[in-house]
Amino acid sequence: MAVLVTGGAGYIGSHMAWALLDAGEEVVVLDRLSTGFRWAVPPAARFYLGDVGNMDLLAQVFAENRIDAVMHFAGSIVVPQSVAHPLEYYDNNTSKTRLLAEATIAAGIKHFVFSSTAAVYGDQPDDAPVLESAPLQPKNPYGQSKLMAEIMLRDAASAHDFRFVALRYFNVAGADPQGRTGLSTVGATHLIKIAVEAALAQRSGVDIFGTDYPTPDGTGIRDYIHVSDLVEAHLRALSYLRRGGEALIANCGYGRGYSVLEVLQTVMRVSGESFDVRYGPRRPGDAASVVANATLARRLLDWTPRHDDLEVIVQTALAWERHLMERKIGDLRELRQRLATAAF
Ligand code: UFG
């Protein structure tokens, strides 16, 4: 049987496709390549170019492959963008998840793993590691759009022969330790990506958003999780569902946080490079500290992280950034050669 990975040309989806193939699974990728890259899809995966909301295409994908599980990564993820274009986010993240779930159920496929987010929690009354049972109060349309999708999946699982696991990601970072894929998004806003770009002189420095938080050094604290551990949690979720596990929503993080300053110091130490750090005001909407309590995933999914080390996260992110730079140089060289040989 095969696994359908939507968004398999993107950051987390491409890691998932590789991990599934490593585990001996057959993989089908569906991606419209709006932010992902065709080259990021492993050659052994069957690729369909298109939108997860295209019901005709979904019917075709399900008819042409023996799929027993859907892993749904396709979606929009930039918080400020979601504030500026809320309806786009509700369309892409909520409406299209509804269509995909409908097509999945219609095709008789019983297993669904969904990419959710810590953004469903919003601000919590204290900074203790957050449990799945904490109040759900997203602060932006991105978090709302994912929460609404969780609710639809929960209701669908009650009504149909269909079970799902929604994993609420904390701060995903790092890249495949084998160097096969990584975060390639142009204009990414994530701290570790920005810091490794600065270390490799791809940008002028890093702005720290807020130095007056009630944290030990005044900067924001996040629970950074290595992307390989995250996709491992999805593999565990897949076997949990195949074993007959009930619908489940679980946090994915390590349960400990690092401040912005600690992250920047780690990037400087690991890269051996220093870069400009500018101390600025808080970014609107940011919480002081967001750390997971992930005991549920560890217990029910039998998930044991193997890369719980900020240095490893940074090392793999740096290695991938260097690879992207070499890639860009290669592309430019090829373009120059083509221009030189082109007949005008
Ligand atoms: N930060 C900086 N400077 C930067 C970028 C980030 O100081 O240039 C700080 C932020 O203020 C925050 C921390 O670094 O304290 C992490 O910021 P990111 O933008 O990397 O990540 P967020 O925690 O804001 O957001 C992440 C995901 C979202 C998800 C959210 C859930 O990117 O998709 O976690 O909590 F919604």
Side-chain angles (χ1 to χ4, degrees), residues 117 119 142 171 189-191 207-209 222 224 260 283 286:
T117 170
Y142 167 65
N171 288 63
T189 57
H190 297 92
L191 179 66
D207 295 296
I208 296 187
F209 300 146
R222 295 290 183 274
Y224 296 93
V260 174
R283 185 171 63 178
D286 274 358

Side-chain angles (χ1 to χ4, degrees), residues 67 96 233 318 335:
I67 290 168
K96 287 182 186 173
L318 269 167
L335 186 68

Side-chain angles (χ1 to χ4, degrees), residues 213-270:
Y213 283 107
T215 58
D217 66 20
T219 65
I221 290 179
R222 295 290 183 274
D223 187 342
Y224 296 93
I225 168 176
H226 194 288
V227 62
S228 299
D229 279 332
L230 182 78
V231 299
E232 176 64 26
H234 289 69
L235 285 179
R236 300 291 167 143
L238 179 64
S239 20
Y240 167 89
L241 289 170
R242 284 175 174 165
R243 285 197 308 272
E246 289 303 310
L248 174 70
I249 297 177
N251 287 339
C252 261
Y254 290 145
R256 54 101 200 87
Y258 290 100
S259 71
V260 174
L261 272 176
E262 285 171 325
V263 168
L264 299 184
Q265 281 156 2
T266 307
V267 172
M268 289 187 194
R269 190 171 61 246
V270 170

Side-chain angles (χ1 to χ4, degrees), residues 153-173:
L153 292 172
R154 190 197 60 201
D155 293 343
S158 306
H160 304 284
D161 184 11
F162 169 81
R163 284 166 299 110
F164 77 99
V165 173
L167 296 174
R168 290 179 179 160
Y169 308 167
F170 284 66
N171 288 63
V172 188

